[in-house]
Amino acid sequence: MDAAVLQLLNGLDKGGAYALIALGLTLIFGTLGVVNFAHGALFMIGGFCAVTTQKLLTLSKSVKDESVTFFDSYTKIPYLKLWWGETGERIIDYSVPLSILLAIPVMLLIGVAIERGLIRHFYRRTHADQILVTFGLAIVLQEIVKASFGANPIPMPAPAVVAGSAAVGSWIGLSDAVSYPWWRLVYFFFSVAVISAVFAFLRFTTFGMVVRAGMRDRETVGLFGIDIERRFTIVFGIAVVVAGLAGAMYTPILSPDYHMGMEFLVLSFVVVVVGGMGSLGGAVAAGFLLGILQSFASMNEVKSLIPGIDQIIIYLVAVAILLVRPRGLMGRAGVMET
Amino acid sequence: MSARFEPGDVARKDNLLLMGFAAAVLTMPLWMQPFGAAYPDLLQRFAIFGIFAIGFNILFGLTGYLSFGHAAFLGVGSYTAVWAFKLLTVNVLPAIVFAMLVSGLFALAIGFVSLRRSGIYFSILTLAFAQMCYNLAYSVLTPITNGETSLQITRTDPRVLDTWISGASALIPATNLFGLEMKGYPGFYFCAALLIGAFYVAMRISRSPFGTMLRAIKSNQNRLNYTGVHTRPYALAAFVISGVYAGLAGGLLACTDPLAGAERMQWTASGEVVLMTILGGVGTLLGPFLGAVIIKFLENIFSAFNDQTLHSAFGFLPDGLENVVVQVTGLFVGEGWHLTLGALFMLLVIFLPGGVMEGVRRVGGLLQGLKAAPRAGVRRATPADSAASGE
């Protein structure tokens, strides 16, 4: 029972990341009709926004170390600490959450630039061409990150306040031994918050209404004299920001390296297909569903029954669902069916 | 192909093409000399990945199904071949036959399921299957695949046929074709012969009524279904054929270097063969092979560069400028050669969707246009046709 609760939490966590990436992918499918294989790379870039924030916050000055008297020794002390002492140190500690401040404008800029410069010219091309060009873009982005940050994973600590584990067990009347890292709980609630924000934006704003109408029937919306192209650019930007935020906040769980996006890309495509192309709700539901299934499959009890199931459960489920429900769990007719 | 040609004309042109191809492949050790690529290891790779790409083109180029999981068949071919070496004999013939058979059966199973869907769903299904195979090869199937350490020939292998014919030997034998070791140039010519055979078969398929049917599936599957043609068996046949080609390529990889690892099945490896096909020209006969040669050549050349060679190459520049140039180009070569690959990928899809073959055709059309101005209009229709069929 205890183990099951833990795996459920693990699954919610992983599912949160899958759902966020898949949400962005589906937004792009649904509105622009473009298959974006660079989405995993954008998730990765979000992770490196956090790395950059940390680098910026810890910009240091060499200061002579007075405690060493025998010879001259220098230590590097971050400017923030020099200026503000304790407060500065605390700010550095919060580099991962603070990285959101950097990630939002940067990812928005990247998203708009990609849409204007590249994706725009691929609306009328085949899906194969879209896959290929975005696959190329993903490789380029990866290599640029590798050249500037190196190939090794960069550990990113969560803020000290949430460094430990939460005694989740005692909250819900299980044994105290059931504990779960605080940051993962934070990530789960963060993903729920971002998903809710995106849904609220699409549901309750005029902009969102137009976008939803455009997802249904782009031409008719255009006939009303609405500049749907410009709105779609913004939608692409939002999708990229969502991916970037998912990546930035995920860094304390998975140290970012240049190919972290590729693994998530394949999985989130499977998530999108299982949820149903063009269905935002489906993407989120399938994200959490597959995340939970995957973490339950990695329990030792299950693994001893069916060895290797944890590695392939997601793909098995995807194949099964596609064969039984060709449009995925909540797919709409006519999206990406040619 | 334009209707202006008589059937006999096409056959004659095909024969010429085949002979030209064979001559070009067999003389590669000569004319690759100036490019610095005339050593057998690299030439073997050209031939093997050429086979892989030619086979992939039958599915993607002719039938229009973009599979993102074909590396799985390459991997299965490799594993089968190594097992044939281990169990039967180090002669390469049985290994290759088994590699083709097993990967063909494997493709039949995966294709049977995946081809229920088309378009992007098909791509994702094949991707899912390939990732499944990759993960299984790494973990659970360790008794068969030897997991991370890769499968290889060992001294304790039974090698039933070998021991039966020539008695047990204490040494680990090299893979051979009736005594001819598959190393160096003999290995290359073996692969080259199979490549020419593979090219011939692909050409016959493409010219046959079956090939026409595949092209029809690509251009409009719905219309075929409405006219009462059941398209799935044809698509499945194309899938299995391309799987057999991939298995052959995988088997040959194991023949030249008897080692099979799971990373051959990763989805980036599937992406590579897609890239080869696109780069050379989707749906053309020569294109996929050209693409394979160009990619493997670039991989070899670019990844071998290091800062030292760059400094000596740009040594004529003034010092400050030299360092900047070396820094910038250093991004694109050596470890970073994938950046070149990605950029090439994008440039190609953006500017030359027909690949190298369309570039050749455009240049040819331009030359023709210069020679006979009035015919320029007629000529110009050809690249547009092929672009339309690529959609």
Side-chain angles (χ1 to χ4, degrees):
Chain A
M1 182 65 198
D2 294 358
V5 170
L6 278 184
Q7 292 305 337
L8 182 68
L9 287 170
N10 261 331
L12 287 176
D13 227 49
K14 213 176 255 177
Y18 293 163
L20 282 177
I21 308 178
L23 183 68
L25 273 178
T26 306
L27 259 181
I28 296 174
F29 283 139
T31 51
L32 313 175
V34 168
V35 186
N36 183 17
F37 259 52
H39 215 69
L42 295 167
F43 174 78
M44 179 266 306
I45 293 208
F48 278 88
C49 277
V51 174
T52 314
T53 312
Q54 197 195 34
K55 278 204 169 164
L56 287 177
L57 291 180
T58 52
L59 276 181
S60 311
K61 182 186 182 186
S62 286
V63 175
K64 195 176 169 196
D65 191 348
E66 300 292 346
S67 62
V68 181
T69 48
F70 189 61
F71 54 90
D72 281 357
S73 164
Y74 291 90
T75 47
K76 290 198 153 192
I77 298 179
Y79 282 107
L80 279 178
K81 196 180 166 192
L82 280 178
W83 297 336
W84 296 327
E86 283 278 295
T87 327
E89 267 188 62
R90 217 165 291 146
I91 293 177
I92 293 172
D93 187 34
Y94 278 93
S95 64
V96 171
L98 281 178
S99 66
I100 290 177
L101 295 181
L102 180 71
I104 289 177
V106 167
M107 298 312 290
L108 197 62
L109 210 68
I110 292 178
V112 171
I114 290 177
E115 205 275 341
R116 287 278 154 124
L118 187 69
I119 304 289
R120 164 149 305 188
H121 308 288
F122 279 80
Y123 289 158
R124 280 170 213 290
R125 301 274 287 268
T126 57
H127 292 320
D129 281 357
Q130 295 167 354
I131 290 178
L132 293 167
V133 80
T134 49
F135 184 54
L137 179 66
I139 297 176
V140 168
L141 291 177
Q142 266 191 11
E143 290 300 315
I144 290 173
V145 167
K146 186 173 144 196
S148 33
F149 292 90
N152 294 323
I154 302 166
M156 294 288 300
V161 188
V162 286
S165 293
V168 180
S170 59
W171 301 350
I172 50 172
L174 288 170
S175 79
D176 278 351
V178 180
S179 67
Y180 196 68
W182 269 109
W183 183 260
R184 287 176 170 255
L185 288 178
V186 171
Y187 190 83
F188 170 65
F189 287 113
F190 171 79
S191 63
V192 171
V194 173
I195 290 166
S196 316
V198 171
F199 273 88
F201 177 72
L202 290 176
R203 183 79 188 76
F204 299 120
T205 61
T206 322
F207 186 96
M209 193 181 70
V210 172
V211 168
R212 275 186 294 136
M215 278 173 94
R216 294 270 159 185
D217 190 343
R218 180 184 185 149
E219 298 211 329
T220 312
V221 174
L223 288 178
F224 278 117
I226 294 168
D227 185 1
I228 195 79
E229 300 269 315
R230 201 171 57 87
R231 300 192 181 226
F232 281 178
T233 308
I234 298 171
V235 169
F236 191 87
I238 291 172
V240 171
V241 168
V242 169
L245 289 181
M249 290 290 278
Y250 207 68
T251 49
I253 301 173
L254 178 79
S255 300
D257 59 5
Y258 71 102
H259 59 240
M260 74 191 261
M262 281 293 180
E263 295 145 33
F264 273 86
L265 176 75
V266 177
L267 289 173
S268 49
F269 259 103
V270 172
V271 167
V272 167
V273 169
V274 167
M277 294 252 173
S279 159
L280 296 171
V284 173
F288 282 110
L289 176 76
L290 290 181
I292 292 169
L293 275 179
Q294 195 182 26
S295 57
F296 274 110
S298 62
M299 286 171 75
N300 283 331
E301 290 88 338
V302 182
K303 266 199 285 192
S304 61
L305 271 181
I306 317 165
I309 187 74
D310 55 321
Q311 308 273 341
I312 60 165
I313 176 89
I314 283 197
Y315 305 115
L316 275 182
V317 171
V319 169
I321 286 186
L322 272 192
L323 294 180
V324 181
R325 285 184 65 92
R327 276 177 197 138
L329 292 176
M330 306 183 193
R332 285 191 285 116
V335 180
M336 296 274 155
E337 292 202 332
T338 45
Chain B
M1 283 293 113
S2 162
R4 275 180 291 132
F5 296 117
E6 294 297 312
D9 220 10
V10 173
R12 203 172 310 129
K13 274 181 79 105
D14 277 358
N15 282 338
L16 272 177
L17 184 64
L18 181 68
M19 281 192 285
F21 180 79
V25 169
L26 293 175
T27 55
M28 268 207 298
L30 294 177
W31 60 265
M32 276 289 176
Q33 211 93 37
F35 302 103
Y39 51 96
D41 278 17
L42 185 59
L43 293 176
Q44 271 169 15
R45 302 210 142 237
F46 288 169
I48 291 170
F49 283 93
I51 293 174
F52 191 17
I54 287 173
F56 186 76
N57 183 52
I58 292 174
L59 181 68
F60 178 43
L62 283 188
T63 324
Y65 279 87
L66 174 57
S67 155
F68 244 80
H70 252 54
F73 306 125
L74 188 83
V76 168
S78 283
Y79 282 125
T80 315
V82 176
W83 270 110
F85 293 143
K86 285 167 88 74
L87 295 179
L88 292 173
T89 162
V90 285
N91 193 325
V92 291
L93 274 190
I96 280 172
V97 171
F98 277 113
M100 288 166 73
L101 266 179
V102 172
S103 56
L105 286 175
F106 200 62
L108 184 68
I110 289 183
F112 184 75
V113 179
S114 307
L115 283 165
R116 286 160 179 269
R117 316 290 297 126
S118 61
I120 176 85
Y121 288 94
F122 172 79
S123 300
I124 301 289
L125 270 174
T126 48
L127 180 59
F129 274 119
Q131 279 299 96
M132 244 195 282
C133 297
Y134 167 69
N135 284 332
L136 287 178
Y138 244 115
S139 59
V140 193
L141 296 180
T142 308
I144 303 174
T145 60
N146 212 7
E148 295 170 38
T149 30
S150 301
L151 190 67
Q152 47 194 307
I153 305 179
T154 59
R155 211 179 298 171
T156 49
D157 290 333
R159 290 201 307 277
V160 183
L161 284 178
D162 278 357
T163 34
W164 183 50
I165 293 167
S166 56
S169 72
L171 294 169
I172 297 179
T175 53
N176 60 60
L177 178 70
F178 304 113
L180 188 67
E181 279 196 18
M182 284 295 113
K183 292 238 155 43
Y185 279 112
F188 162 67
Y189 279 109
F190 181 62
C191 296
L194 284 173
L195 170 68
I196 292 165
F199 181 79
Y200 176 72
V201 172
M203 186 193 239
R204 300 303 307 173
I205 288 175
S206 154
R207 298 285 185 259
S208 67
F210 172 67
T212 312
M213 183 59 96
L214 296 185
R215 264 188 287 266
I217 291 176
K218 179 178 181 175
S219 69
N220 197 333
Q221 191 160 5
N222 274 340
R223 196 177 293 169
L224 276 181
N225 285 333
Y226 292 149
T227 47
V229 180
H230 192 38
T231 53
R232 201 180 300 155
Y234 292 96
L236 184 58
F239 193 90
V240 172
I241 291 169
S242 69
V244 169
Y245 270 80
L248 171 62
L252 283 176
L253 274 179
C255 288
T256 52
D257 178 16
L259 187 80
E263 63 288 337
R264 242 169 230 175
M265 306 166 92
Q266 216 171 359
W267 75 279
T268 37
S270 304
E272 200 184 42
V273 72
V274 182
L275 175 55
M276 287 170 180
T277 316
I278 301 262
L279 173 63
V282 181
T284 60
L285 279 171
L286 278 175
F289 172 67
L290 275 182
V293 169
I294 294 171
I295 298 272
K296 284 292 154 194
F297 178 73
L298 289 183
E299 179 182 345
N300 203 59
I301 300 298
F302 278 103
S303 56
F305 276 8
N306 54 23
D307 278 3
Q308 222 169 350
T309 44
L310 282 180
H311 274 292
S312 61
F314 293 109
F316 60 91
L317 293 169
D319 263 359
L321 187 62
E322 183 192 329
N323 284 333
V324 173
V325 171
V326 168
Q327 280 278 316
V328 172
T329 44
L331 277 179
F332 288 89
V333 297
E335 296 265 291
W337 102 270
H338 280 143
L339 182 58
T340 318
L341 190 72
L344 182 75
F345 216 164
M346 288 173 66
L347 290 177
L348 203 83
V349 182
I350 295 170
F351 295 112
L352 200 63
V356 174
M357 289 307 279
E358 191 186 322
V360 170
R361 221 175 295 141
R362 278 190 197 171
V363 171
L366 223 65
L367 292 180
Q368 285 270 340
L370 288 181
K371 238 192 306 184
R375 286 187 59 193
V378 184
R379 264 294 165 198
R380 286 258 301 280
T382 331
D385 281 348
S386 66
S389 67
E391 302 221 338

